[in-house]
Amino acid sequence: MEETTDELYQRLLRLHILPTFEERDLDQITPPHVRTWRAERLKVTGGTTVAKSYRLLSAIMGTAEDDELIRRNPCRIKGAGKESPAEWSTATVDQVDAVAKAIGSRCG
């Protein structure tokens, strides 16, 4: 069963955001805090999880900015919310030929 968006956000908050930021008021979270947090997260977990966590933190801080709870969103790292999944290797001609032969014999 796939994780819902709400479950994902709850997990990201619990495991990756709140341990660093829950003791701070929103206006005490600065760009250097965010950069340090992101760098530390990248040392211990995958880049995709860090990107998702960063996007969530940025959205939270963006809402706080819109609601005038903070002056400016401290999440300003260009590309930090972008996921870069590992690149898949391309099958060789021989591998494709082997798959085609295997499928052909089943369908024929």
Side-chain angles (χ1 to χ4, degrees):
M1 182 163 125
E2 274 194 52
E3 185 175 48
T4 65
T5 301
D6 184 58
E7 290 167 339
L8 171 64
Y9 290 167
Q10 291 297 324
R11 182 174 53 82
L12 294 174
L13 276 169
R14 181 175 38 84
L15 297 176
H16 302 286
I17 297 172
L18 292 179
T20 299
F21 295 114
E22 92 179 307
E23 297 298 320
R24 296 183 185 272
D25 289 338
L26 290 175
D27 62 352
Q28 294 176 325
I29 300 172
T30 65
H33 291 132
V34 173
R35 284 192 298 274
T36 300
W37 163 78
R38 182 175 174 270
E40 291 300 318
R41 291 284 78 211
L42 285 169
K43 290 178 187 175
V44 297
T45 193
T48 298
T49 298
V50 175
K52 289 177 181 178
S53 298
Y54 182 86
R55 283 196 311 267
L56 179 58
L57 178 61
S58 183
I60 291 166
M61 298 306 285
T63 299
E65 181 181 20
D66 291 345
D67 291 348
E68 299 180 359
L69 300 174
I70 59 174
R71 223 169 44 87
R72 187 169 179 200
N73 187 337
C75 298
R76 297 187 223 145
I77 304 169
K78 291 188 186 329
K82 182 180 179 199
E83 294 178 41
S84 300
E87 195 170 308
W88 292 29
S89 60
T90 303
T92 66
V93 172
D94 291 337
Q95 291 168 328
V96 172
D97 188 44
V99 170
K101 285 179 184 174
I103 291 172
S105 65
R106 288 188 210 154
C107 295

